[in-house]
Amino acid sequence: MVHKPAPELFVCCALYVGCLLYSFYKNYELSNENLINYYSLDTGWYIFNYRRRDDFDWEWEHYIGFIERQGMYFLVHVVVMELARRVCAKHISTVLTIFGLVLIYRMYNVPVLMVILVQGLSFYFGNPTKYYRRTIWAKTFLWIALINYFKVWYFYDKLNVHLNIHNDQLLELSLITSWNVIKCTSFCLDKAREAPSKEHYGLHDMMAYLLYFPLFLMGPAIVYSRFKTIHNNFQRVMEPHSFPDRMWTLAKRLMMAWFWALVMLAGQHFLYVNLIQQDLALLQHVNLWALYGLGFLMGQFFCIKYVVFYGVGIAFGRFDGIDMPDKPICIARVNQYSDMWKFFDRSLYEFLFKYIYTELCTKTSALPRKILASLATFAFIYIWHGVFLFILIWSLINWVCILFERLVNHCTPADSRWRPIIGTHVFIPSVLSNFFFFASENVGYIYLQRTYTEGIRNYVGLYVASYCFYQTGQLVKIMQTNRAIEERRMK
C-alpha cells in the first residue's frame, strides 16, 4: 500500500522552511562591510549594485580558474571521442591514453607527466601473485603517506620549485594524485577478481582510466567496473544514438551545471558564508539563528559546489557511454547521515563499500566485526583526505554517530514516533561534525561549545528546529517512495 504522510510531517516541513528563511535573513544582515577582510573580496557583478562577492572558497575559485584556463579541452575531448567512435572504437583505451598524455604535457610539463606515469606504473607492475592484494594495499597506503607528507610538511615552499609549476598547478597535482590512488586501487583489485578473463585490464586500459580528462581533476573517482562499461557502450551508447541527440543531451546536462554555478556565484554576493567563518570572535557571540543558519549555508554551498563539479564529469561520462553514478543528493533533505555517505559522493561510497567494508564483514557477521569494519572504513577516509586534526574529528564523530543511528533504527520501528524523537539527538552532532570539515577545528569547537554549554533553552530550540528538519527528510522519503510505486504501477 502507498504510505500517506502524516499531517505532522507537513507542519514540520512548513516550520523547517520558516526557520531556514529567517536564519538566511540573519546571515544576510551579517554579510556587510563590517566583516574582517571585507575589502579583500572580489569586486563582484555590477548588476548587484556593486556588492562584493565572497571569494574565500579556494576550491571553488580554483575550479572556476581551471575552467577559464583549460575549458577548451572539454570541447577537444568531445571531438576526439567522436572521431574515435567512428574510426577506431575498438582502440578507445589507446586513444584516451595518448590524448591524456598530450593534455598533461600541454597543461603542465614533463616532471608532472612523469609523476602521474610513475604512480600508474608503480601500481601496475611488481605485484607477486601470491601476495597480490596485500601488495596493492601496501602501495595504496604508501602513496597516501607520500601525498600527505608533501601536502602537510613539504608543500608550497619546495615541491612547486622542484617540479617547476606554480601553486595552483601544485594543488591540481595533489588532487589528481589523490584521485588516482583510488582509481589505481580499484583497477588492480578488480583485475585480481577477474583473473580468468583479464579483458580490458592491460596497461593502456589502466592509463585510459587514470587519464580520462572529464574526471581527471574534480572527479568523481568512479570504480573501474563502471569505467570499463565504455568498451561495451562506446559504439551502442546508453544515450540516444544520433550525434545531434547526444549533443543536445550533453548540452542540457552542462547547462544545468552552469545554472547551479550561477546560483553559487550569485549567492556569494549576498551571503558571505566563507568570510563570516573567518571571524571567530563574531561566531562566539553572534545570534544563534545566524550561527546555525551559517552552518546550514556552509553545507548547502558545499553541496551546490559538488553538484557542479560532479555534474560536469557525469555529463561527459554518460555522453561517452560510461555507466556513471547519479549526482550528489541535496543535503537539505537528508535526515540520516548514513544516507549522506551513501548518496552524496556515491563514487567514494561505492569504493569504500566494495573494497573495504564488504571485504572485512558480511551481512551475517557478528556485530563487533561490523563495527571494526566501519572503523577501518572511516580510518581510510581520514588518511585519504589528509592527516589533519579537523579531518580526524570529523571522521570520528561521523563514525560514532552512524553507529548510534543504526542502534536507534534497530530499536525503534520505522513508523514509530520514537525514531525521530531519539534520532534527532544523534542527528545534531552528525551535522555539527561537518563544520569541522567545511571550516576548521576552531569553528567546529565553537559550534560544539555553543550547542552543549549555553543552556537547556538554547538546546531545546535547536532540537525543535532539527526535529522539523528530520521529519522533513522523512516526508521527502515517503513522497519519493510513493512516486516510485506509482511509476511501477503505470508500467
Side-chain angles (χ1 to χ4, degrees):
M1 294 180 61
V2 177
H3 181 46
K4 294 183 179 179
E8 174 192 346
L9 298 183
F10 290 101
V11 174
C12 287
C13 182
L15 291 174
Y16 166 58
V17 173
C19 289
L20 288 184
L21 292 176
Y22 183 68
S23 64
F24 291 172
Y25 172 72
K26 300 302 289 185
N27 274 273
Y28 173 73
E29 284 187 328
L30 287 177
S31 302
N32 56 49
E33 65 276 5
N34 295 323
L35 292 170
I36 60 171
N37 297 321
Y38 170 79
Y39 289 101
S40 66
L41 294 180
D42 183 72
T43 53
W45 298 346
Y46 72 91
I47 60 173
F48 291 137
N49 196 26
Y50 301 102
R51 276 191 68 93
R52 290 180 178 266
R53 184 179 69 85
D54 182 0
D55 60 348
F56 269 63
D57 186 338
W58 69 266
E59 193 175 38
W60 175 254
E61 299 302 318
H62 184 84
Y63 182 76
I64 296 299
F66 177 82
I67 294 298
E68 291 175 350
R69 297 190 309 271
Q70 316 292 1
M72 60 171 289
Y73 290 125
F74 286 99
L75 178 60
V76 177
H77 171 85
V78 171
V79 174
V80 170
M81 293 298 282
E82 199 57 31
L83 288 174
R85 187 189 306 277
R86 298 172 188 275
V87 178
C88 53
K90 293 183 179 180
H91 303 285
I92 184 59
S93 289
T94 303
V95 172
L96 286 173
T97 299
I98 295 172
F99 181 61
L101 294 174
V102 171
L103 282 190
I104 294 171
Y105 175 75
R106 289 188 60 83
M107 290 191 299
Y108 305 106
N109 55 25
V110 173
V112 171
L113 179 61
M114 293 304 298
V115 170
I116 295 170
L117 282 175
V118 167
Q119 186 180 29
L121 294 173
S122 69
F123 272 91
Y124 192 82
F125 294 106
N127 304 313
T129 304
K130 186 177 180 179
Y131 302 105
Y132 185 88
R133 296 176 60 81
R134 294 180 185 179
T135 304
I136 295 302
W137 278 114
K139 291 178 178 180
T140 299
F141 290 117
L142 283 172
W143 269 101
I144 291 175
L146 183 64
I147 293 168
N148 283 334
Y149 170 74
F150 286 113
K151 187 187 299 183
V152 178
W153 294 289
Y154 192 86
F155 204 45
Y156 288 109
D157 56 341
K158 297 179 181 179
L159 188 59
N160 56 341
V161 176
H162 296 328
L163 296 176
N164 193 27
I165 54 178
H166 54 70
N167 286 348
D168 285 347
Q169 292 175 319
L170 186 59
L171 278 171
E172 291 169 13
L173 179 60
S174 174
L175 289 171
I176 292 165
T177 51
S178 295
W179 286 127
N180 281 357
V181 167
I182 286 181
K183 293 178 184 178
C184 290
T185 305
S186 175
F187 179 92
C188 293
L189 294 179
D190 279 4
K191 181 181 179 181
R193 289 182 178 186
E194 300 188 22
S197 64
K198 290 288 197 310
E199 187 178 13
H200 303 305
Y201 285 98
L203 178 59
H204 63 306
D205 296 307
M206 182 183 195
M207 297 311 300
Y209 176 42
L210 300 183
L211 301 175
Y212 182 72
F213 179 69
L215 310 181
F216 188 58
L217 179 64
M218 299 307 297
I222 59 174
V223 294
Y224 184 66
S225 57
R226 284 188 178 274
F227 183 81
K228 197 173 68 165
T229 57
I230 193 172
H231 298 286
N232 297 325
N233 297 324
F234 193 51
Q235 289 178 300
R236 46 182 184 82
V237 290
M238 294 177 288
E239 306 293 357
H241 285 258
S242 69
F243 179 68
D245 287 340
R246 290 175 50 250
M247 283 298 296
W248 174 237
T249 302
L250 174 64
K252 286 190 293 185
R253 288 173 175 154
L254 293 178
M255 283 189 288
M256 183 57 66
W258 178 242
F259 166 77
W260 285 115
L262 291 177
V263 169
M264 179 83 168
L265 291 168
Q268 289 175 322
H269 286 78
F270 300 97
L271 298 164
Y272 296 161
V273 174
N274 295 285
L275 184 61
I276 292 172
Q277 65 185 251
Q278 308 294 319
D279 193 340
L280 300 181
L282 174 64
L283 296 182
Q284 289 280 7
H285 68 266
V286 74
N287 178 282
L288 286 173
W289 282 103
L291 183 72
Y292 292 119
L294 174 68
F296 180 90
L297 288 168
M298 279 192 240
Q300 203 57 48
F301 275 67
F302 183 85
C303 178
I304 293 173
K305 180 169 64 175
Y306 275 86
V307 165
V308 176
F309 294 169
Y310 288 2
V312 172
I314 290 169
F316 282 99
R318 288 182 174 167
F319 176 81
D320 293 329
I322 300 173
D323 180 20
M324 299 295 295
D326 291 331
K327 289 183 288 188
I329 190 174
C330 176
I331 65 171
R333 59 182 181 85
V334 175
N335 65 338
Q336 302 232 331
Y337 255 70
S338 56
D339 288 347
M340 182 72 80
W341 283 100
K342 290 178 184 176
F343 304 123
F344 187 81
D345 193 334
R346 301 169 195 257
S347 298
L348 180 59
Y349 173 80
E350 194 169 7
F351 174 88
L352 297 170
F353 186 77
K354 181 177 180 181
Y355 301 111
I356 300 178
Y357 186 79
T358 57
E359 290 293 324
L360 298 175
C361 73
T362 64
K363 287 184 178 180
T364 58
S365 296
L367 180 60
R369 188 176 182 87
K370 289 182 178 180
I371 292 175
L372 289 175
S374 65
L375 178 60
T377 303
F378 277 93
F380 182 87
I381 291 168
Y382 163 58
I383 64 171
W384 181 73
H385 276 90
V387 286
F388 299 100
L389 178 59
F390 70 94
I391 298 293
L392 175 62
I393 298 171
W394 167 69
S395 305
L396 188 59
I397 296 178
N398 265 262
W399 175 64
V400 172
C401 287
I402 286 178
L403 291 181
F404 277 111
E405 179 188 288
R406 290 180 178 177
L407 178 63
V408 172
N409 291 347
H410 177 74
C411 297
T412 59
D415 57 350
S416 167
R417 189 178 298 273
W418 285 107
R419 178 169 292 187
I421 290 175
I422 301 173
T424 299
H425 288 292
V426 179
F427 178 74
I428 290 172
S430 299
V431 174
L432 295 179
S433 70
N434 286 313
F435 305 143
F436 289 89
F437 185 74
F438 296 149
S440 67
E441 58 264 29
N442 292 326
V443 173
Y445 291 146
I446 290 172
Y447 273 91
L448 285 177
Q449 179 262 323
R450 296 201 64 184
T451 298
Y452 292 108
T453 66
E454 290 199 1
I456 189 67
R457 182 179 176 182
N458 288 331
Y459 182 79
V460 170
L462 173 63
Y463 177 85
V464 171
S466 300
Y467 180 88
C468 293
F469 192 143
Y470 191 104
Q471 292 290 63
T472 301
Q474 190 63 28
L475 174 63
V476 173
K477 283 183 181 179
I478 292 172
M479 295 175 68
Q480 287 181 326
T481 301
N482 292 350
R483 186 186 308 161
I485 293 173
E486 291 295 339
E487 289 176 354
R488 287 198 297 268
R489 284 177 177 175
M490 295 295 292
K491 293 179 180 179

